[in-house]
Amino acid sequence: AQSVTQLDSQVPVFEEAPVELRCNYSSSVSVYLFWYVQYPNQGLQLLLKYLSGSTLVKGINGFEAEFNKSQTSFHLRKPSVHISDTAEYFCAVSERSSGTYKYIFGTGTRLKVLA
Amino acid sequence: NAGVTQTPKFQVLKTGQSMTLQCAQDMNHNSMYWYRQDPGMGLRLIYYSASEGTTDKGEVPNGYNVSRLNKREFSLRLESAAPSQTSVYFCASSELATGTYGYTFGSGTRLTVV
């Protein structure tokens, strides 16, 4: 992937509302796709991953993501958010490049859940 | 079930001082990585070690050196710290160099260079 784009740097949403965090990537080869979550003052934690097979993948904490090859997207969704979902979310792509694998992170989307 | 352990958690250095950030993983992972995280810039790879005995430069290696001491440990050294190296540093590991199963991150080291 030459780039991973998370268009929204911040997303405010009210508690119990649905949310979608967008991720687009550019790549001409097969990729593996990931979403990570980072709570304040902590490291990143794997939420979910797409390797192959079903394009809808489910992760921890009720999150899911859909891989769309034609649109080169991997958007993260949750039908009803909680205050505890307030965190920064990173999309990442792993692709084979020149005999090795490159792992590229997006710049992150800060999700703020409002009461 | 410690995962990836980083020490220290916080550090303040004066310009020109040196220090080593330590990282150890107990998951028998083959690959290890050092990233820095700066506001608005996401994560940038400093160095990585695809397997024990190998190290390679990442996106921003200048001013840093690394040592893969054994399969468990991967240290990052700042020989002469500069204010531009003020950042949060994360160590990560993965079972495979492909990162197929995802990365496991440590909790970070917050470094301030004054």
Side-chain angles (χ1 to χ4, degrees), chain B residues 14-60:
Chain B
K14 293 182 179 179
T15 297
Q17 286 186 318
S18 62
M19 79 162 295
T20 300
L21 282 64
Q22 306 287 352
C23 174
Q25 53 91 7
D26 62 0
M27 298 167 287
N28 201 35
H29 283 176
N30 290 300
S31 303
M32 299 185 73
Y33 313 84
W34 277 106
Y35 286 89
R36 60 178 289 173
Q37 184 178 34
D38 302 290
M41 304 192 73
L43 289 150
R44 291 183 292 170
L45 182 64
I46 305 170
Y47 271 93
Y48 67 99
S49 171
S51 60
E52 186 180 358
T54 69
T55 60
D56 286 287
K57 295 179 180 179
E59 183 184 356
V60 289

Side-chain angles (χ1 to χ4, degrees), chain A residues 32 34 36 38 41-44 46 49 51 88 90 94 101 103 105-107, chain B residues 35 37 40-43 90 97-107 110:
Chain A
Y32 301 136
F34 306 83
Y36 290 83
Q38 184 180 32
N41 300 314
Q42 295 186 26
L44 279 71
L46 182 66
K49 59 182 179 286
L51 304 181
E88 190 154 21
F90 292 89
S94 174
Y101 280 82
Y103 207 92
F105 286 91
T107 53
Chain B
Y35 286 89
Q37 184 178 34
M41 304 192 73
L43 289 150
F90 287 100
T98 57
T100 307
Y101 303 113
Y103 286 11
T104 301
F105 284 82
S107 57
R110 281 156 179 76

Side-chain angles (χ1 to χ4, degrees), chain A residues 98-109:
Chain A
S98 302
T100 63
Y101 280 82
K102 291 188 67 176
Y103 207 92
I104 301 171
F105 286 91
T107 53
T109 297

